[in-house]
Amino acid sequence: SISQPGGTIGGSRAVRLLVVAPHFESFVRGQVETVLPQAQHTEALVLRPRFAVRDRQRTSVIGRGRDLAIPRREFRSPFLSVRWRRPMYRLSRAIRTVRHSLDGSRADVAHAHFLYPAGVVTAKAAEIERVPCVVTGHGFDVYALPFKNRFWRNELSASLQSCAAVIAVSKANAD
């Protein structure tokens, strides 16, 4: 774990981090704020599962006045939604976008929040780019999505196999 100020991990060199999430509100933002002073460089990529004229992320009061001082890009595609019968992320350009972000930021580690879409897409891109990937499962993505049907279960399971670490936010989710 990142433990020392100044961007070192366990006494090794400073790390460059790419954080991928469907939003940067509340708990995701809080974690990034905690890690920010300890990483040499941090970038964020927001994978949004839908197009929206009025984006809740931009209008939310949770993040008001708490802009993160890191480069941030967004990628949107309806193919990233969990409403499809099976994962459709391959029809989007999300993997290519994450690969481009990994390469452009020269990331040492990719950390994705939520198993889908960020976790699956980031795991695939990180495997191709040979960058360690950590995925944090938060709730619905852990306790419901894998049980939606065999397509979802197989896709999530296969993607998580390539991760360096998988984090559950509670013991119930870990079980």
Side-chain angles (χ1 to χ4, degrees):
S1 67
I2 296 178
S3 58
Q4 300 175 0
T8 60
I9 296 182
S12 64
R13 69 179 177 84
V15 295
R16 299 176 67 83
L17 175 67
L18 175 67
V19 179
V20 183
H23 61 77
F24 275 87
E25 296 299 338
S26 62
F27 49 89
V28 176
R29 177 182 300 275
Q31 186 202 44
V32 173
E33 287 173 335
T34 301
V35 172
L36 194 57
Q38 300 172 7
Q40 176 190 10
H41 179 78
T42 303
E43 287 190 20
L45 175 61
V46 179
L47 295 182
R48 303 287 287 160
R50 61 189 169 275
F51 296 104
V53 174
R54 181 176 159 89
D55 187 350
R56 292 184 307 175
Q57 181 175 346
R58 288 202 180 104
T59 59
S60 172
V61 296
I62 296 172
R64 192 165 290 151
R66 293 181 60 202
D67 287 336
L68 293 172
I70 60 174
R72 182 171 128 183
R73 297 176 8 151
E74 283 192 18
F75 176 81
R76 295 170 177 266
S77 173
F79 293 117
L80 297 177
S81 175
V82 297
R83 295 179 185 198
W84 298 98
R85 185 177 187 285
R86 60 177 65 186
M88 302 294 280
Y89 68 93
R90 287 187 176 94
L91 297 178
S92 75
R93 294 182 184 149
I95 292 176
R96 186 176 81 181
T97 300
V98 174
R99 287 184 67 195
H100 178 70
S101 291
L102 285 168
D103 187 46
S105 67
R106 297 187 337 264
D108 297 308
V109 178
H111 185 180
H113 286 269
F114 298 92
L115 302 184
Y116 189 86
V120 169
V121 171
T122 304
K124 301 278 187 196
E127 185 175 30
I128 294 166
E129 295 295 321
R130 297 184 179 171
V131 172
C133 178
V134 176
V135 174
T136 299
H138 288 276
F140 167 81
D141 56 325
V142 175
Y143 65 76
L145 196 55
F147 306 102
K148 188 173 180 176
N149 61 40
R150 68 182 166 90
F151 300 115
W152 285 97
R153 183 174 43 259
N154 293 343
E155 190 68 56
L156 293 170
S157 177
S159 296
L160 295 178
Q161 294 299 318
S162 68
C163 293
V166 178
I167 300 168
V169 297
S170 69
K171 184 170 176 4
N173 281 356
D175 294 339

